[in-house]
Amino acid sequence: MSGDFSEAIAAVRDRVNIVDVISQRIALKKAGKNYRALCPFHHEKTPSFMVNEEKQIFHCFGCGAGGDVFTFLMRYENLSFYDALIELARSAGVSIPKGGGSRGEDQKRELLFQINETAADYFHANLVSKKVGSPAREYLARRGIRQETIEEYRLGYAPPGWTNLVSHFRRKSVDPALAQTLGLIIPRKRQGWYDQFRNRIIFPIMNTSGRTVGFGGGAIDETMPKYMNSAESAVYKKSQSIYGIQTAGREIRQRDSVLLVEGYFDLLTLHQSGFRNAVAPLGTALTRDQVRIMKRYSRNFIVLFDSDEAGIRATFRSLDPFMEEEIHPRTVSLPRGYDPDSFVREAGPEALAKALERAVPLVDAFIDYTVKRGDLGSVAGKVEIGRAVMPVLKKLRDPLERRLYVRSLSERLGVTEGDLVSSWGRRSAETRRAGTPEARAGSQPPFPASEEDLVELMLNHHGLIPAVFESGVIDDFESDDLRRIAGIVKRLFETRDDFSVGDVLGDVSEERLRSRISLWALSERFEEQKAERAAADCIREVKIRRLKRTQDVLTRKIKDVEKTDQTDRLNQLLREKQRLSDEERSLRRSQAT
């Protein structure tokens, strides 16, 4: 990383206040010298998400998420480090030098973004400025897609043929191996590559910052599959990507409403018709991550999926991720045989606007659909309806809301509320006994306690750093991670003794370690007057553990040598083991005094 780039990162860190950044996205409340909130990264009822303004860090004591302002923005907005840096630099008025480079995996991510941009430019040029794009333009015209929409969404065209994009990448000196990881080209069995997308309309998929992360391809003939997406990669996770979010975000905030549709053309037609708060989950089942991203813009959702059986099932499957995020969406039932695209083109935008006004809660629509399809005339039919609906109602977090829905269902089935609740209670208990316990969210493998304590002490009490390193104890660490973090602390201390936790986080790319560092920085377990004694105890414990490990190795060697005639070697090993044993006893005596 160049010096200018490092200085720019430091300038951003100095000028940006983490409290300001986080409070623009979630509600913070002052709690002593920290700020507290409900964690945006997992569901919780009691706030365990803490932000420390002095140290410029955050940590959730529930799920373990933690880090600095860069970490928060990366997780909350699903950005790379470089994208988070650009966004924060813009708000702080800091200029980021071009070609400065980024750290670790972000450098590779940046290359992947550049390859995606090269592909997007190529596909778009095919569609709008080349003769080869004529069939695709005619297809889009038949679908009612206007030229301004083509430009705004950078629609493209992959012409027929096996190596068009491969040849373009070769001319642009693009590494084919990297292009393959993006799912743009595929290796042949023997040698060479061929294009993934052929004779398809191309829909660039962008993140919230407007950077291209992947592509969708729609066939313009009878080729199957009708739609396909590029492969998941370091920059593209289908479960975390939403088509149209880069253009719909502002409109969603203004209207305080998300209109969720299924397909690319649904979204494009609706945007053309004035419904610019529409987004689409890329033809896959809606995920909790997607809901989390969208609810940053609004908590009001209307689900507008296709009216066929597949669309209805997809609509009701979306209940789970919504309920996990405590979102209460509404839904609209279109006339049978219509999707949002065809409905708007035939009935007009005004008809859709009126339909949206009649949107009903998705839970109500699910119950009504299930009851109407069930057999209310038989006991077995009522049981099946109850079994289908009760698991959904149990996920409602508001007790009053859940009770009212149970009462309504019991009246429709002609059974008591108690029968419904007790029946489900027995079934869920059986399920729990048959299942396996889930791992606690945020749990991480433990570090050796004395090593972890020592690093925590150095982070919070800089005056201890020289003595710790003079003791040589860091070389005795079992944990490579802790040894590396301690090395970062030492280097920063030697550069300037007033370094911050944010400076340490700036040199650590792994999220699991960044979360642990933020936890140490906020824990305040060691009071100032007791820190020196605690450090001395930790140093002794680390050295004792190292001595015991070395003695164990010697014991194994002694057993092997005893089987031979190497008397001198055996005596040498016994003397060395005795020396280590004496050293251990000496350390333990000093610990007791």
Side-chain angles (χ1 to χ4, degrees), residues 314-328:
T315 299
F316 294 139
R317 279 200 305 270
S318 70
L319 265 171
D320 272 352
F322 278 127
M323 297 177 83
E324 287 168 352
E325 291 299 310
E326 294 193 84
I327 297 293
H328 294 69

PDB file of all heavy atoms in Angstrom, residues 314-328:
ATOM      1  N   ALA A 314     -43.679 -18.442  -3.934  1.00  0.00           N
ATOM      2  CA  ALA A 314     -42.549 -17.567  -3.638  1.00  0.00           C
ATOM      3  C   ALA A 314     -42.967 -16.432  -2.710  1.00  0.00           C
ATOM      4  O   ALA A 314     -42.213 -16.028  -1.815  1.00  0.00           O
ATOM      5  CB  ALA A 314     -41.972 -17.004  -4.939  1.00  0.00           C
ATOM      6  N   THR A 315     -44.166 -15.913  -2.924  1.00  0.00           N
ATOM      7  CA  THR A 315     -44.678 -14.841  -2.057  1.00  0.00           C
ATOM      8  C   THR A 315     -44.741 -15.305  -0.612  1.00  0.00           C
ATOM      9  O   THR A 315     -44.263 -14.621   0.304  1.00  0.00           O
ATOM     10  CB  THR A 315     -46.072 -14.399  -2.522  1.00  0.00           C
ATOM     11  OG1 THR A 315     -45.994 -13.893  -3.856  1.00  0.00           O
ATOM     12  CG2 THR A 315     -46.625 -13.316  -1.608  1.00  0.00           C
ATOM     13  N   PHE A 316     -45.292 -16.489  -0.379  1.00  0.00           N
ATOM     14  CA  PHE A 316     -45.461 -16.951   0.991  1.00  0.00           C
ATOM     15  C   PHE A 316     -44.137 -17.444   1.596  1.00  0.00           C
ATOM     16  O   PHE A 316     -43.958 -17.388   2.817  1.00  0.00           O
ATOM     17  CB  PHE A 316     -46.538 -18.031   1.061  1.00  0.00           C
ATOM     18  CG  PHE A 316     -47.911 -17.504   0.719  1.00  0.00           C
ATOM     19  CD1 PHE A 316     -48.795 -18.244  -0.058  1.00  0.00           C
ATOM     20  CD2 PHE A 316     -48.311 -16.255   1.160  1.00  0.00           C
ATOM     21  CE1 PHE A 316     -50.053 -17.745  -0.376  1.00  0.00           C
ATOM     22  CE2 PHE A 316     -49.573 -15.747   0.849  1.00  0.00           C
ATOM     23  CZ  PHE A 316     -50.447 -16.494   0.078  1.00  0.00           C
ATOM     24  N   ARG A 317     -43.205 -17.912   0.745  1.00  0.00           N
ATOM     25  CA  ARG A 317     -41.885 -18.285   1.272  1.00  0.00           C
ATOM     26  C   ARG A 317     -41.150 -17.069   1.821  1.00  0.00           C
ATOM     27  O   ARG A 317     -40.282 -17.200   2.687  1.00  0.00           O
ATOM     28  CB  ARG A 317     -41.039 -18.945   0.180  1.00  0.00           C
ATOM     29  CG  ARG A 317     -41.327 -20.423  -0.050  1.00  0.00           C
ATOM     30  CD  ARG A 317     -40.155 -21.100  -0.760  1.00  0.00           C
ATOM     31  NE  ARG A 317     -39.810 -20.416  -2.000  1.00  0.00           N
ATOM     32  CZ  ARG A 317     -40.331 -20.694  -3.186  1.00  0.00           C
ATOM     33  NH1 ARG A 317     -41.258 -21.633  -3.296  1.00  0.00           N
ATOM     34  NH2 ARG A 317     -39.960 -20.031  -4.267  1.00  0.00           N
ATOM     35  N   SER A 318     -41.495 -15.889   1.311  1.00  0.00           N
ATOM     36  CA  SER A 318     -40.804 -14.682   1.775  1.00  0.00           C
ATOM     37  C   SER A 318     -41.190 -14.325   3.203  1.00  0.00           C
ATOM     38  O   SER A 318     -40.552 -13.457   3.817  1.00  0.00           O
ATOM     39  CB  SER A 318     -41.117 -13.508   0.844  1.00  0.00           C
ATOM     40  OG  SER A 318     -42.460 -13.088   0.963  1.00  0.00           O
ATOM     41  N   LEU A 319     -42.230 -14.968   3.749  1.00  0.00           N
ATOM     42  CA  LEU A 319     -42.636 -14.669   5.122  1.00  0.00           C
ATOM     43  C   LEU A 319     -41.508 -14.900   6.117  1.00  0.00           C
ATOM     44  O   LEU A 319     -41.298 -14.096   7.036  1.00  0.00           O
ATOM     45  CB  LEU A 319     -43.842 -15.533   5.504  1.00  0.00           C
ATOM     46  CG  LEU A 319     -45.224 -14.909   5.316  1.00  0.00           C
ATOM     47  CD1 LEU A 319     -46.308 -15.951   5.515  1.00  0.00           C
ATOM     48  CD2 LEU A 319     -45.423 -13.732   6.261  1.00  0.00           C
ATOM     49  N   ASP A 320     -40.776 -15.993   5.978  1.00  0.00           N
ATOM     50  CA  ASP A 320     -39.737 -16.342   6.951  1.00  0.00           C
ATOM     51  C   ASP A 320     -38.689 -15.247   7.111  1.00  0.00           C
ATOM     52  O   ASP A 320     -38.452 -14.773   8.235  1.00  0.00           O
ATOM     53  CB  ASP A 320     -39.078 -17.670   6.584  1.00  0.00           C
ATOM     54  CG  ASP A 320     -39.820 -18.856   7.175  1.00  0.00           C
ATOM     55  OD1 ASP A 320     -40.740 -18.626   7.984  1.00  0.00           O
ATOM     56  OD2 ASP A 320     -39.505 -19.997   6.827  1.00  0.00           O
ATOM     57  N   PRO A 321     -37.985 -14.841   6.037  1.00  0.00           N
ATOM     58  CA  PRO A 321     -36.973 -13.795   6.227  1.00  0.00           C
ATOM     59  C   PRO A 321     -37.554 -12.473   6.716  1.00  0.00           C
ATOM     60  O   PRO A 321     -36.901 -11.752   7.477  1.00  0.00           O
ATOM     61  CB  PRO A 321     -36.341 -13.651   4.844  1.00  0.00           C
ATOM     62  CG  PRO A 321     -37.300 -14.263   3.885  1.00  0.00           C
ATOM     63  CD  PRO A 321     -37.997 -15.338   4.653  1.00  0.00           C
ATOM     64  N   PHE A 322     -38.779 -12.147   6.308  1.00  0.00           N
ATOM     65  CA  PHE A 322     -39.405 -10.924   6.804  1.00  0.00           C
ATOM     66  C   PHE A 322     -39.637 -11.009   8.308  1.00  0.00           C
ATOM     67  O   PHE A 322     -39.338 -10.080   9.060  1.00  0.00           O
ATOM     68  CB  PHE A 322     -40.735 -10.675   6.090  1.00  0.00           C
ATOM     69  CG  PHE A 322     -40.600 -10.007   4.753  1.00  0.00           C
ATOM     70  CD1 PHE A 322     -41.183 -10.565   3.621  1.00  0.00           C
ATOM     71  CD2 PHE A 322     -39.901  -8.817   4.620  1.00  0.00           C
ATOM     72  CE1 PHE A 322     -41.072  -9.944   2.384  1.00  0.00           C
ATOM     73  CE2 PHE A 322     -39.779  -8.192   3.379  1.00  0.00           C
ATOM     74  CZ  PHE A 322     -40.365  -8.759   2.266  1.00  0.00           C
ATOM     75  N   MET A 323     -40.172 -12.130   8.759  1.00  0.00           N
ATOM     76  CA  MET A 323     -40.497 -12.263  10.177  1.00  0.00           C
ATOM     77  C   MET A 323     -39.233 -12.326  11.032  1.00  0.00           C
ATOM     78  O   MET A 323     -39.220 -11.855  12.172  1.00  0.00           O
ATOM     79  CB  MET A 323     -41.370 -13.492  10.396  1.00  0.00           C
ATOM     80  CG  MET A 323     -42.711 -13.388   9.690  1.00  0.00           C
ATOM     81  SD  MET A 323     -43.753 -14.850   9.855  1.00  0.00           S
ATOM     82  CE  MET A 323     -44.497 -14.559  11.442  1.00  0.00           C
ATOM     83  N   GLU A 324     -38.173 -12.918  10.486  1.00  0.00           N
ATOM     84  CA  GLU A 324     -36.911 -12.946  11.217  1.00  0.00           C
ATOM     85  C   GLU A 324     -36.383 -11.539  11.474  1.00  0.00           C
ATOM     86  O   GLU A 324     -35.683 -11.295  12.466  1.00  0.00           O
ATOM     87  CB  GLU A 324     -35.876 -13.760  10.439  1.00  0.00           C
ATOM     88  CG  GLU A 324     -36.133 -15.265  10.473  1.00  0.00           C
ATOM     89  CD  GLU A 324     -35.270 -16.014   9.479  1.00  0.00           C
ATOM     90  OE1 GLU A 324     -34.599 -15.356   8.662  1.00  0.00           O
ATOM     91  OE2 GLU A 324     -35.267 -17.253   9.517  1.00  0.00           O
ATOM     92  N   GLU A 325     -36.708 -10.620  10.580  1.00  0.00           N
ATOM     93  CA  GLU A 325     -36.269  -9.228  10.730  1.00  0.00           C
ATOM     94  C   GLU A 325     -37.375  -8.329  11.275  1.00  0.00           C
ATOM     95  O   GLU A 325     -37.259  -7.111  11.251  1.00  0.00           O
ATOM     96  CB  GLU A 325     -35.780  -8.696   9.385  1.00  0.00           C
ATOM     97  CG  GLU A 325     -34.499  -9.318   8.909  1.00  0.00           C
ATOM     98  CD  GLU A 325     -33.345  -9.079   9.873  1.00  0.00           C
ATOM     99  OE1 GLU A 325     -33.147  -7.912  10.264  1.00  0.00           O
ATOM    100  OE2 GLU A 325     -32.668 -10.063  10.244  1.00  0.00           O
ATOM    101  N   GLU A 326     -38.455  -8.948  11.777  1.00  0.00           N
ATOM    102  CA  GLU A 326     -39.574  -8.209  12.363  1.00  0.00           C
ATOM    103  C   GLU A 326     -40.162  -7.187  11.391  1.00  0.00           C
ATOM    104  O   GLU A 326     -40.485  -6.053  11.762  1.00  0.00           O
ATOM    105  CB  GLU A 326     -39.149  -7.533  13.665  1.00  0.00           C
ATOM    106  CG  GLU A 326     -38.814  -8.507  14.769  1.00  0.00           C
ATOM    107  CD  GLU A 326     -38.694  -7.849  16.124  1.00  0.00           C
ATOM    108  OE1 GLU A 326     -39.730  -7.662  16.794  1.00  0.00           O
ATOM    109  OE2 GLU A 326     -37.560  -7.524  16.507  1.00  0.00           O
ATOM    110  N   ILE A 327     -40.287  -7.593  10.147  1.00  0.00           N
ATOM    111  CA  ILE A 327     -40.924  -6.784   9.117  1.00  0.00           C
ATOM    112  C   ILE A 327     -42.310  -7.356   8.839  1.00  0.00           C
ATOM    113  O   ILE A 327     -42.476  -8.575   8.738  1.00  0.00           O
ATOM    114  CB  ILE A 327     -40.088  -6.785   7.816  1.00  0.00           C
ATOM    115  CG1 ILE A 327     -38.717  -6.142   8.058  1.00  0.00           C
ATOM    116  CG2 ILE A 327     -40.822  -6.055   6.706  1.00  0.00           C
ATOM    117  CD1 ILE A 327     -38.762  -4.675   8.371  1.00  0.00           C
ATOM    118  N   HIS A 328     -43.302  -6.496   8.711  1.00  0.00           N
ATOM    119  CA  HIS A 328     -44.676  -6.926   8.441  1.00  0.00           C
ATOM    120  C   HIS A 328     -45.057  -6.472   7.034  1.00  0.00           C
ATOM    121  O   HIS A 328     -45.638  -5.399   6.855  1.00  0.00           O
ATOM    122  CB  HIS A 328     -45.634  -6.341   9.477  1.00  0.00           C
ATOM    123  CG  HIS A 328     -45.416  -6.862  10.859  1.00  0.00           C
ATOM    124  ND1 HIS A 328     -44.298  -6.547  11.601  1.00  0.00           N
ATOM    125  CD2 HIS A 328     -46.158  -7.708  11.633  1.00  0.00           C
ATOM    126  CE1 HIS A 328     -44.363  -7.165  12.771  1.00  0.00           C
ATOM    127  NE2 HIS A 328     -45.477  -7.878  12.814  1.00  0.00           N
TER     128      HIS A 328
END
